[in-house]
Amino acid sequence: MRFAPFPRLRSLATQLLCTYAAALLVALGTMAGLLFLSSRQDAGIPTQEQLHRMAHLLQTSLQFDPAGVPRSDRPLRSEWSWVFSDFAADAKYRVLDSSGRVLVSSNQDATALTSPGRPFDSTLESFTSSSGDQALFVRTERMIHGTQTYYIQVAATRRFTAFVHALTARILVSDTLRLAFVSMLLVTVAVYFTLRRVLKPLRETSAAAAQIDARHLSRRLATRNLPTEFLPVVTAFNLTLDRLEKGYLVQRAFLADAAHELKTPLALIRAQIDMGGTTDREVLLEDIDRIARQVNQLLHLAEASETQNYVFESVHVEELAEDVADYLRRLAERHRVYVEIRCAPTTPPVEADRGAFFMLIKNLVENAIQHSPAGGTVAVGVAADHLSVSDEGPGITAAEFPKLFKRFWRGPTRQSEGAGLGLSICAEIAAAHKWDITARSTGQGAQFIVFFAALERCTSR
């Protein structure tokens, strides 16, 4: 016996957890790569986006007096004012009116930030100045407050920007890795217990399926609380059990009926043998022939029920009907019955198992011969979509219609002949071909009709 080296890897829960872990690792790797590339950039030169965010932060932190003018005594809220006081040489700001006059500044300097040798220009958004030995990067933005127009200038040195960038990157990377680790741990635990809860009904269903055997075919797997994805599988399994149970019950009933049918003639034969010299040889041979006929019909019925043994091919129905008529010629002559084949002008072939189809037509014609009076006619009609067999016998009563195709049922005129399996064999063969077989009384006898399914009919070759 061969075993899989890692059976746990075939578990659905394991595969889902591995897939989630792999996806999370890829996401974390991508994030780490982006952070690494960001940290490798030249952090000493502030971008316009950074200066813009600094200007926006300054706008939201400004405080105004009742007249709508920036307060000069305490221009910024306390949570941000320390930045410009503690880093006065590296971070600066100015608030100017529409004429360019400085209203508020970070270092009490009333001079606007300008490029060397040039006056204040509100249209010049960005430029580079100097603060001591450091380059100072400046941005000017317009601000509307009420009906007044103001200009905000923000500036930062290279070393200040590099410090903020390094500090922010370190905090960001550290916090991101901590958050990713905690998230991965929590989500993995949550996924694990969720999968256990979701797959619990499946494990229970598997255990219930293992308890089903030939003595418990009536059991079915419960579909309650099952995940939607597994419902089709369990439903299909239950339908398979339905078919198995039905087939098992039919076969058991068939065996019981067969045993009953064979028991009587065997008992009669034994009784005649026990009588010694009074045994009638002709009677014994007749009983043996009857048993042989029943055994043959049982074998034919078993073969007709095994649809996997069918070999479908293109069959010309009129030719097969002629073969049947020729095969039963002696039986028809013994009963003094004439078998007539009536074919439509065009009869396309059908897809069928030749041997099984021959057996179907033979049983119907043989049944019609045995029910027809001497001098009667059995008509075999072949059309494009059906085959019919008609006799001139007593017909079928209303009480007999529901029993026609039941196994071991024989009409009142056939109590001493056959085993009552001929029409059952016809029904099995028709079902295997997905055909319909029906019977009716014509007023002058009985007629059996086999309708060929449209999809089973083949075109002429």
Side-chain angles (χ1 to χ4, degrees):
M1 182 180 297
R2 298 178 64 184
F3 295 93
F6 301 103
R8 289 290 297 176
L9 294 179
R10 301 184 63 181
S11 166
L12 178 62
T14 303
Q15 292 181 23
L16 289 175
L17 281 174
C18 291
T19 301
Y20 162 75
L24 192 56
L25 287 175
V26 170
L28 291 176
T30 304
M31 184 183 301
L34 293 176
L35 290 175
F36 176 77
L37 292 176
S38 177
S39 64
R40 298 290 294 177
Q41 293 178 352
D42 188 358
I45 303 177
T47 64
Q48 293 301 311
E49 179 62 27
Q50 292 172 329
L51 292 174
H52 170 73
R53 289 198 298 267
M54 188 174 175
H56 178 72
L57 180 64
L58 188 63
Q59 290 183 31
T60 57
S61 300
L62 275 175
Q63 299 188 91
F64 297 84
D65 61 18
V69 179
R71 297 178 57 175
S72 58
D73 58 334
R74 196 172 59 186
L76 298 179
R77 296 188 179 94
S78 57
E79 61 266 27
W80 296 115
S81 59
W82 66 270
V83 175
F84 296 97
S85 60
D86 291 353
F87 299 93
D90 296 287
K92 306 175 184 294
Y93 73 85
R94 302 283 191 274
V95 180
L96 299 85
D97 60 14
S98 57
S99 63
R101 183 170 59 91
V102 176
L103 301 178
V104 177
S105 66
S106 58
N107 54 2
Q108 305 300 322
D109 191 340
T111 305
L113 297 173
T114 61
S115 58
R118 297 185 58 183
F120 170 71
D121 185 359
S122 61
T123 62
L124 187 61
E125 289 188 353
S126 61
F127 56 89
T128 304
S129 181
S130 62
S131 176
D133 59 347
Q134 292 290 320
L136 191 66
F137 300 92
V138 184
R139 181 178 178 85
T140 303
E141 290 194 2
R142 185 181 180 188
M143 180 185 69
I144 304 296
H145 184 77
T147 59
Q148 301 295 321
T149 300
Y150 300 99
Y151 294 96
I152 293 182
Q153 291 184 312
V154 291
T157 61
R158 183 187 299 271
R159 63 186 179 187
F160 178 77
T161 305
F163 169 74
V164 172
H165 181 85
L167 181 61
T168 304
R170 183 179 295 274
I171 295 175
L172 182 62
V173 171
S174 176
D175 290 347
T176 301
L177 291 177
R178 290 194 188 96
L179 179 61
F181 176 77
V182 174
S183 299
M184 184 175 179
L185 181 63
L186 292 178
V187 175
T188 301
V189 172
V191 170
Y192 174 76
F193 284 103
T194 300
L195 287 175
R196 283 183 58 88
R197 179 180 61 81
V198 171
L199 297 179
K200 180 181 179 181
L202 190 61
R203 290 192 295 270
E204 295 174 349
T205 301
S206 177
Q211 302 299 319
I212 298 176
D213 53 23
R215 294 173 297 176
H216 304 93
L217 284 178
S218 60
R219 294 180 180 178
R220 296 296 179 268
L221 301 182
T223 57
R224 185 179 179 183
N225 298 328
L226 272 180
T228 306
E229 291 77 8
F230 295 108
L231 282 178
V233 177
V234 176
T235 302
F237 185 79
N238 285 336
L239 292 176
T240 302
L241 289 177
D242 289 339
R243 292 190 292 270
L244 286 175
E245 182 183 18
K246 182 179 178 180
Y248 179 77
L249 294 176
V250 169
Q251 292 301 321
R252 187 168 63 179
F254 170 74
L255 291 175
D257 292 339
H260 175 75
E261 291 292 327
L262 293 174
K263 180 174 64 177
T264 301
L266 287 173
L268 291 174
I269 292 175
R270 180 179 181 84
Q272 292 182 41
I273 294 175
D274 289 342
M275 292 172 63
T278 62
T279 301
D280 189 336
R281 183 175 182 276
E282 295 298 328
V283 174
L284 283 176
L285 291 176
E286 183 179 345
D287 289 339
I288 291 174
D289 288 341
R290 185 180 298 110
I291 292 177
R293 177 179 173 84
Q294 290 177 344
V295 170
N296 285 332
Q297 285 192 320
L298 289 172
L299 291 175
H300 289 321
L301 182 60
E303 291 176 358
S305 302
E306 298 294 334
T307 56
Q308 69 270 17
N309 296 329
Y310 283 50
V311 178
F312 291 89
E313 58 182 312
S314 179
V315 177
H316 291 274
V317 185
E318 65 276 13
E319 295 178 2
L320 201 62
E322 293 284 355
D323 293 341
V324 171
D326 185 65
Y327 179 81
L328 296 175
R329 191 177 307 278
R330 292 184 180 179
L331 178 65
E333 291 174 352
R334 188 163 63 247
H335 286 77
R336 291 183 295 169
V337 173
Y338 176 70
V339 178
E340 180 183 4
I341 309 297
R342 302 170 182 173
C343 294
T346 57
T347 55
V350 298
E351 283 290 320
D353 181 278
R354 180 177 292 275
F357 198 8
F358 181 90
M359 178 66 63
L360 186 151
I361 301 175
K362 181 190 79 70
N363 286 354
L364 292 179
V365 174
E366 183 179 11
N367 187 67
I369 291 173
Q370 292 172 343
H371 282 84
S372 293
T377 299
V378 172
V380 180
V382 180
D385 61 346
H386 71 275
L387 169 94
S388 63
V389 178
S390 306
D391 61 49
E392 297 177 354
I396 306 170
T397 65
E400 293 174 342
F401 273 107
K403 306 174 184 177
L404 281 177
F405 299 102
K406 287 187 176 181
R407 297 174 177 180
F408 303 106
W409 180 82
R410 290 172 291 200
T413 61
R414 295 284 309 279
Q415 293 299 327
S416 60
E417 299 183 43
L421 293 174
L423 293 180
S424 298
I425 294 173
C426 293
E428 290 287 347
I429 295 173
H433 288 79
K434 296 182 174 61
W435 297 341
D436 292 326
I437 181 170
T438 60
R440 66 187 185 95
S441 286
T442 62
Q444 299 179 345
Q447 184 183 54
F448 288 83
I449 307 174
V450 179
F451 293 97
F452 309 134
L455 294 177
E456 297 294 323
R457 195 182 308 124
C458 63
T459 57
S460 298
R461 299 181 181 178

